[in-house]
Amino acid sequence: MFDVVIVGGGAAGFYAAIQVAEQAPHLKVAIFERGKTVLSKVKVSGGGRCNVTHGEFSAHDLVTNYPRGQKELLGPFHTYAPGDVMSFFEERGVPLKIESDGRVFPQSNSSQSIIDCLVGEAEQLGVKVLKNSSVKQFGKNENGEGWQITTMNKHYQCKKLLLATGSNPKIWKQLEAFGHKVISPVPSLFTFNINDERISGIQGVSTFATVEVPPKKIFSSKIGVKLKSVPKEEPVLQAEGPVLITHWGLSGPAILKLSAWGANILHDYHYVFRVNINWTPEYTTGSMELLLREIKEVEAKKTVLRTNATDIPRRLWVNLVKASGIEGDLKWAELTKEKLQNLAKQLTACSFRVEGKSTFKEEFVTAGGVNLKEINFKTFESKIHPNLYFAGEIINVDAITGGFNFQNAWTGAYIAAKAIASG
C-alpha cells in the first residue's frame, strides 16, 4: 500500500516523486519503472549532455515552441518555469549554463550529473523505486476512491496515481478503456531523407536558410492527369534557421522545427513530399538575378565556379553552380541568361524530393497522447477520474528541440505533485 504511485521512472516521474516527498514527507511514494534502469532518456538527451531546459523566461514566448499544448501550457508556465527548474538543480549542487542558442546544460556537460541528482534526491527522501515493474493493469480499487496497480506478479494499492509513462501504447490503450480519448501518436522531431546530387558528398555543411513545404498536388494514378491542385499560395509549412546537410539528407534546427510543426501533415503525406529551400533568405529569385547580373559585369573574366557570390558555404555553392548546368571553366562573361536564371533559382528556390525520415539522434519524440481537453491544467489531474494525474509526454504536448520537451515534463510534474501533496 502506497499513498502515491508514479508509473514511469523518467524525468517527469522522478521530478514528481521528489516534489511530492518534499512537500508532504508523511506520504509513502513509489516509482514503478518497467526497465532495468531509470532515466534512460535523460542519459542520451542532448548528445549525452542533457539539455535540461531553455533559457526563455517569458511564459508567453516559451509556449510558442510547442506545436501542441501552446494554449494549455501558458498558465502552468506562469506557475513553474525554466528559472524554477534551474534553481532546483543549482540548489542541489548541479551548476548549469545557458549556451548562446538559449539551451541549458549542466556545466559538467554530462547527463550523469542530472541523473545522480534526481536519483540521490529520491533516495534521500525515501521514495521507493521499483525497477523491472512493468504495469500490466491499473484500475479503481474496491471503494472507488483509490487505485489498484498490477505488475507481473504483484498487486499494489494507492490513493493517488500519476502516469508519467511517455509514449507507451499499452498505457494509452488502458486509458482509452477508462474513457479517455488518446490522440493517435505520430513521430515529431525527425530529419529528412533526400538522395540528391546537389547535397551529395558535402555532409557537415551548415547554413542559415528558409525551408518550405509547398501545397501537395494530387494526381490520378491511372491517367496521370492532375485532378486537384492548390493554387500557388502560402506554403503548407515554413521554417527559418540553420540547415545541416547530412549523409542521408537534411537536418538542423530549421528542419526539426518543420518536422515538429508539421508532424501530422507529413505523416499524412507518408513522409514523401517536396521541400523548397532558399539558401539565401535575404534574396528572392528576382533580386538574386539582379545581383548575379551585377557580378557578371564586375567579375566578367573570373570563372563562376570559383567566385562565390553569396554567403553560403563554398562546397554548397560549387554543387549548386554545377546543378545549374554551368561548366567548371565557364566565365561570368560567358554566362547565358538561361544559366544565370537557373543559378538564381537553385540559390533561392531549390526544390528537393523527401523520401522518408530518420530519428534525430536518440531523441524520439511523438505528437499525440491524452486529449488536452480532458486534463485540468491547474493540477494536471484527469477531468474524468479523480486522483489520476499526468505528467510529461503521455499527454498530447510536444515541442521543438532545445530543452522544451523537458520543461513540459518538469512543469507538469511539479504542478501535479503540488496538487497531490496538498490533497
Side-chain angles (χ1 to χ4, degrees):
M1 179 74 192
F2 293 100
D3 295 300
V4 183
V5 165
I6 294 163
V7 183
F14 263 83
Y15 209 71
I18 291 164
Q19 298 291 348
V20 171
E22 274 192 338
Q23 294 175 46
H26 62 284
L27 295 180
K28 200 176 173 187
V29 183
I31 296 172
F32 286 30
E33 166 55 43
R34 62 178 172 173
K36 293 180 206 170
T37 56
V38 294
L39 300 161
S40 52
K41 204 165 180 180
V42 172
K43 181 82 174 165
V44 298
S45 76
R49 296 199 296 147
C50 187
N51 185 183
V52 180
T53 183
H54 198 91
E56 176 54 76
F57 302 113
S58 157
H60 284 277
D61 292 336
L62 186 59
V63 293
T64 62
N65 297 286
Y66 294 82
R68 284 146 291 272
Q70 190 167 351
K71 177 168 64 80
E72 290 83 0
L73 289 177
L74 184 59
F77 284 155
H78 275 296
T79 301
Y80 201 78
D84 300 302
V85 175
M86 292 179 73
S87 296
F88 172 89
F89 285 108
E90 292 192 323
E91 284 165 10
R92 287 159 181 79
V94 183
L96 304 174
K97 58 178 176 176
I98 303 177
E99 296 195 342
S100 57
D101 59 2
R103 292 184 302 164
V104 177
F105 291 95
Q107 281 185 18
S108 65
N109 281 324
S110 171
S111 56
Q112 199 59 45
S113 303
I114 303 299
I115 293 169
D116 291 345
C117 174
L118 293 172
V119 170
E121 281 293 304
E123 202 174 296
Q124 196 177 323
L125 290 161
V127 174
K128 186 93 174 162
V129 179
L130 302 170
K131 297 174 190 172
N132 296 309
S133 294
S134 180
V135 172
K136 301 298 173 191
Q137 206 174 351
F138 59 87
K140 293 282 181 72
N141 62 13
E142 287 176 8
N143 64 24
E145 291 179 9
W147 295 88
Q148 178 170 298
I149 299 102
T150 304
T151 60
M152 191 70 82
N153 51 14
K154 286 187 180 178
H155 299 290
Y156 298 89
Q157 301 285 327
C158 69
K159 294 172 186 170
K160 294 177 188 287
L161 177 64
L162 189 152
L163 299 177
T165 47
S167 308
N168 185 326
K170 288 178 182 174
I171 298 294
W172 277 333
K173 203 169 181 181
Q174 288 192 59
L175 283 169
E176 284 181 313
F178 276 122
H180 267 290
K181 185 180 178 186
V182 174
I183 311 300
S184 295
V186 298
S188 179
L189 285 191
F190 50 83
T191 61
F192 296 171
N193 293 351
I194 299 170
N195 184 9
D196 194 291
E197 283 294 315
R198 290 167 294 177
I199 55 172
S200 178
I202 58 169
Q203 58 272 8
V205 166
S206 177
T207 189
F208 193 89
T210 301
V211 189
E212 295 179 350
V213 174
K216 195 165 185 176
K217 295 169 185 174
I218 303 170
F219 293 89
S220 163
S221 56
K222 288 184 181 175
I223 53 176
V225 175
K226 193 193 304 177
L227 295 178
K228 180 185 174 187
S229 69
V230 184
K232 194 173 181 184
E233 302 166 337
E234 292 297 308
V236 175
L237 297 165
Q238 186 176 41
E240 193 174 70
V243 172
L244 173 68
I245 295 168
T246 68
H247 286 284
W248 58 89
L250 296 175
S251 183
I255 300 295
L256 295 170
K257 201 182 291 183
L258 209 67
S259 75
W261 287 94
N264 290 304
I265 294 169
L266 300 181
H267 176 263
D268 291 343
Y269 287 174
H270 304 290
Y271 309 105
V272 177
F273 56 95
R274 295 207 77 83
V275 63
N276 297 332
I277 299 185
N278 185 345
W279 301 107
T280 55
E282 66 273 26
Y283 291 96
T284 61
T285 304
S287 63
M288 179 54 74
E289 273 187 46
L290 292 173
L291 174 68
L292 294 178
R293 280 186 206 141
E294 285 175 22
I295 292 165
K296 183 178 173 179
E297 288 184 23
V298 176
E299 306 286 5
K301 293 180 182 178
K302 292 184 178 176
T303 61
V304 179
L305 201 67
R306 292 183 181 173
T307 317
N308 187 348
T310 68
D311 291 333
I312 67 171
R314 173 163 176 74
R315 289 195 292 161
L316 178 59
W317 167 264
V318 168
N319 278 14
L320 296 180
V321 168
K322 288 177 180 174
S324 306
I326 298 167
E327 300 83 5
D329 57 354
L330 193 78
K331 294 184 173 62
W332 281 97
E334 301 162 340
L335 193 62
T336 64
K337 182 183 177 184
E338 184 188 356
K339 287 181 178 178
L340 186 143
Q341 287 175 337
N342 285 348
L343 181 56
K345 197 172 177 185
Q346 290 292 345
L347 290 164
T348 59
C350 198
S351 183
F352 294 97
R353 180 177 168 83
V354 178
E355 294 185 332
K357 59 174 177 54
S358 295
T359 302
F360 175 62
K361 297 181 179 174
E362 294 89 356
E363 299 185 32
F364 185 73
V365 173
T366 57
V370 178
N371 190 339
L372 304 184
K373 290 176 181 174
E374 299 171 356
I375 301 163
N376 176 356
F377 280 90
K378 289 181 179 174
T379 58
F380 280 73
E381 186 176 15
S382 164
K383 288 180 179 177
I384 298 172
H385 299 289
N387 300 321
L388 175 63
Y389 299 80
F390 305 105
E393 229 187 293
I394 187 172
I395 66 175
N396 186 27
V397 168
D398 64 288
I400 62 171
T401 185
F404 302 106
N405 283 300
F406 270 135
Q407 185 57 50
N408 167 50
W410 311 130
T411 294
Y414 174 83
I415 292 173
K418 193 176 177 186
I420 289 168
S422 61

